[in-house]
Amino acid sequence: MRCCSPPRPAWVPTCSSSTRSRRSTGPARAAGTGAWDWPPWRSRSRSRQRGSTIPAMLLPDAVCPHSTASPRLGPRAAGDEVHRRCCRGQPRELLPASCPGMAVPLGEPERGRAGRAGQGRTERGSAGQDGMVQGGAGPWDHRIIKVGKDPQGHRVQPAPTTTITPNPEQGAWLNNKGAWLSGNGRGLTEGGWLIGGGPTPRPRRVPLTSRAGNGGSGPRPLHGADRCGAQRGGACSALLCPRGWGGGGLATAPRGSPSPPPPARRGVPPPGPRVPRCPLHAPCPPVSPTSPVSPYPPYPRPPCPPISPHIPPPPQTPCPRGAAPPHLTPPPPPGVLPLSQAWGRAPRLPPSPLPAQRRAFSNNKILVELDESAGVATMKFKSPPVNSLSLDFLTEFCISLEKLENDRACRGVILTSAVPKIFSSGLDITEMCGKSTEHYAEFWRAVQEMWLRLYSSNMVTVAAVNGSSPAGGCLIALTCDYRIMAENPKFSIGLNEAQLGIVAPFWFKDTFVNVVGHRVAESSLQLGSLHPAPEAHRIGLVDELVPEEKLKDRATAVMQQWLALPGKGGTSWAVTECRNGDLTCVGGPGIEAGSCVSVGTGGVGGWEVGKLSKAVRAALGCEGCAWHTAGRSAGCAGRLPPAQLAVPALLSRAGGA
Ligand SMILES: CCCCC/C=C\CCCC/C=C/C(=O)SCCNC(=O)CCNC(=O)[C@H](O)C(C)(C)COP(=O)(O)OP(=O)(O)OC[C@H]1O[C@@H](n2cnc3c(N)ncnc32)[C@H](O)[C@@H]1OP(=O)(O)O
């Protein structure tokens, strides 16, 4: 509800959720379905311009699913749509008054709020908006528009807006996610990420009731004391709970940084001692197998991962995963302090010294296994007989994907099937007849949501197609970064809608064209062809064929290859130095000196590597670049020099990538 629903401040040019990072190729919206027809406001080429962004202002309001100016739905219905999305479809009437999705006006001062961390929709960042701090209703209410990735390349859960409330007594600021922010007078940092400048707030005593802690004791800060049903002993929907995945959640406070004790609210016991936060040490969230308020099917919450005997409980011993083996920490360039020194935070590292951590969660239709050591999850469709994409399936798909998206340990997903011989039979045909109009709308919305989430995922996505994959099943594979298919000629794949007497929606078509090219797509769509695996490979519909028994290994190998790349795979992030208005770049691991940076999802000061178009480079006046890079896996260490604060100006000059 807080996204960009009315009242929308004048400085928000359009909905923040329209800042997704793909280019639009099709019309803004499809006509005539009567439902939210999110247009494919971007398409992608095989070269996968993952980090490229277009500024929000280039997208018409109608494009944005949170738009309040829907000519189709009208303001009221559009408002409901906003609510639906922000509250994960929870009917408004069923939500407690404390639901963060209920109207909290943008101008409302934050009073003792904590915790929407991990709760909002996953919104992508965009150039020019990431990390911008805007003045709010009062001089100390600042709203951060978009949060994308921190300097380590980890996704930061993007609450659509974040309000920062200064706590001058403690010299720190609290945002509406309950995270402590440190301020340096020139800008703010959240989790070590520079989030913007903004006016220096005047001191004011602000009653605060809770805070996000680094795990440990205290009143479950990430749940938000007043916001989460589970916090009050009620039912916490897996959808609303920011810590839906066993003790994970989002740690926004810098690890190991000194943090002030929060002022206590009357009647609320003060939280316990602050301890370093570690996923392994995080306290279990309250388990609520089902939510009475959720319209979704029961969604069992996984148990917390067991605390390894190797890891003594906090706070006596620092988290072993928080410390950087010296050999993995690249030396900063002269004059640049690593973030860990500058802000008292240890860089995030791959947990290689520890035994591999595996987590799994499952719902009725999808089994998800996360190998934390590799940063790769496998989503296995398990909805027999044919993995048809029913509303339930689609819903669970989106939930699972979002959980992974919000999990910093996960950087890639392999999609495959647990049903023999079938990857997915496509949209569930029984959902498309004999149902109410509302059901059709909901179903179609879910189809689009699935596609958008997958397409716009920040994770590397690999489809391991181990069976037939017609229509919607094919779309899932097409939407991934890479497709590997079992080389069984009995397995076929394609958009066969024409054979059913229906037309593949234009965004199915666009996705198909992007992969196989125009002419092949044209004839294949007209004939409704289902291509046997060898033919699918020949026309480029799948990238490679492997024997079925090797599919998993090959998918894993491909994933590793992708994850090793700079950028989306997240291995390399650059912190640029800005001197005299010029960006200077020094090469880095896997990065050529002189190759440049993007104004993509990195946000202010965090520039993703290797995706800057020539035009943007020219606009930035970026000649001879010098940057400090650090592999994401080794944690990005680098301190932005003061001159870096000039970057927002450069961003606006660039107008996006
Ligand atoms: C609501 C608003 C919508 C707006 C509409 C706007 C535009 C419409 C276009 C939308 C784009 C459409 C995309 C789609 O995905 S449409 C679905 C296309 N899918 C297919 O054509 C697949 C058809 N199925 C098969 O080809 C085969 O079943 C198979 C997947 C190759 C598996 O074969 P096999 O192992 O021999 O299994 P069976 O054929 O015996 O099937 C087993 C049972 O599964 C049922 N089944 C199969 N596919 C579906 C499906 N897509 N949806 C629901 N149910 C399905 C099949 O009926 C069998 O059930 P039974 O045992 O009870 O008979």
Side-chain angles (χ1 to χ4, degrees), residues 37-419:
D37 253 330
W38 292 5
W41 30 256
R42 61 210 141 169
S43 68
R44 56 183 175 177
S45 64
R46 302 296 301 278
S47 61
R48 300 302 311 247
Q49 295 295 319
R50 273 282 181 186
S52 63
T53 60
I54 45 179
M57 47 288 280
L58 295 184
L59 294 171
D61 259 352
V63 170
C64 171
H66 290 184
S67 167
T68 58
S70 164
R72 175 163 301 158
L73 295 182
R76 171 64 205 280
D80 288 347
E81 174 65 11
V82 169
H83 172 80
R84 191 193 73 78
R85 298 206 166 277
C86 291
C87 293
R88 306 292 193 281
Q90 305 280 355
R92 185 188 292 268
E93 313 78 67
L94 295 179
L95 285 170
S98 57
C99 163
M102 299 298 276
V104 179
L106 281 174
E108 180 182 305
E110 297 295 315
R111 287 188 160 271
R113 290 184 56 201
R116 280 200 65 195
Q119 186 173 315
R121 278 175 53 85
T122 303
E123 306 289 359
R124 304 281 167 259
S126 83
Q129 283 208 345
D130 274 356
M132 272 174 59
V133 176
Q134 300 281 353
W140 26 77
D141 286 340
H142 292 67
R143 309 210 180 278
I144 307 168
I145 306 305
K146 309 303 296 174
V147 180
K149 284 186 175 180
D150 65 15
Q152 286 80 34
H154 306 135
R155 286 177 298 284
V156 174
Q157 172 60 37
T161 59
T162 301
T163 300
I164 306 166
T165 306
N167 182 11
E169 286 177 349
Q170 308 297 345
W173 299 4
L174 187 73
N175 72 8
N176 68 341
K177 293 185 290 187
W180 289 102
L181 310 171
S182 59
N184 60 7
R186 292 184 298 270
L188 298 175
T189 57
E190 180 175 8
W193 184 29
L194 183 72
I195 53 175
T200 304
R202 283 184 280 121
R204 186 180 71 161
R205 191 179 291 267
V206 180
L208 302 171
T209 57
S210 59
R211 65 187 174 109
N214 284 347
S217 55
R220 294 192 191 92
L222 286 175
H223 275 75
D226 298 331
R227 300 268 156 199
C228 176
Q231 185 73 5
R232 297 177 315 232
C236 177
S237 160
L239 304 174
L240 287 178
C241 176
R243 297 181 56 199
W245 191 340
L250 194 66
T252 48
R255 182 184 287 133
S257 63
S259 55
R265 191 176 63 174
R266 191 181 305 166
V268 177
R274 190 177 177 88
V275 295
R277 184 166 193 278
C278 166
L280 295 173
H281 294 157
C284 280
V287 173
S288 172
T290 58
S291 164
V293 299
S294 170
Y296 295 106
Y299 188 71
R301 195 190 293 277
C304 277
I307 293 179
S308 158
H310 302 294
I311 305 168
Q316 292 86 352
T317 306
C319 173
R321 297 174 60 189
H327 67 281
L328 286 177
T329 308
V336 176
L337 282 177
L339 279 178
S340 52
Q341 288 177 31
W343 294 327
R345 184 173 69 158
R348 181 175 163 130
L349 293 170
S352 50
L354 292 176
Q357 295 288 321
R358 286 180 183 274
R359 283 188 280 156
F361 67 87
S362 178
N363 47 42
N364 290 331
K365 312 276 181 192
I366 295 171
L367 171 68
V368 182
E369 294 165 336
L370 172 63
D371 179 348
E372 281 189 324
S373 60
V376 177
T378 304
M379 281 175 68
K380 280 187 185 165
F381 307 154
K382 56 168 183 96
S383 180
V386 288
N387 286 335
S388 61
L389 306 179
S390 61
L391 182 56
D392 286 351
F393 185 102
L394 294 166
T395 304
E396 292 184 1
F397 184 97
C398 288
I399 294 169
S400 301
L401 198 64
E402 186 176 14
K403 283 186 173 223
L404 294 174
E405 197 82 56
N406 292 337
D407 192 319
R408 295 182 178 198
C410 184
R411 297 188 294 143
V413 187
I414 296 170
L415 303 181
T416 192
S417 166
V419 174

Side-chain angles (χ1 to χ4, degrees), residues 543-635:
D543 295 295
E544 56 180 288
L545 299 180
V546 294
E548 191 168 354
E549 63 275 12
K550 294 190 178 159
L551 194 55
K552 186 180 168 205
D553 288 347
R554 181 59 194 148
T556 305
V558 167
M559 180 63 78
Q560 295 306 329
Q561 194 182 353
W562 278 71
L563 291 178
L565 294 169
K568 176 191 173 187
T571 54
S572 294
W573 275 73
V575 175
T576 56
E577 287 186 45
C578 177
R579 290 188 183 134
N580 303 321
D582 285 336
L583 295 178
T584 43
C585 305
V586 223
I591 304 157
E592 275 181 42
S595 64
C596 213
V597 294
S598 79
V599 284
T601 54
V604 177
W607 297 64
E608 204 167 358
V609 174
K611 293 177 179 170
L612 190 66
S613 71
K614 277 186 182 172
V616 174
R617 246 182 287 175
L620 289 170
C622 175
E623 301 165 353
C625 295
W627 29 354
H628 167 64
T629 63
R632 176 180 177 180
S633 57

Side-chain angles (χ1 to χ4, degrees), residues 385-386 422 425-429 440 444 470-472 496-497 500 502-503:
V386 288
I422 308 287
S425 69
L427 302 191
D428 191 324
I429 291 167
Y440 293 146
W444 198 240
N496 63 323
E497 282 82 351
L500 308 177
I502 53 180
V503 176

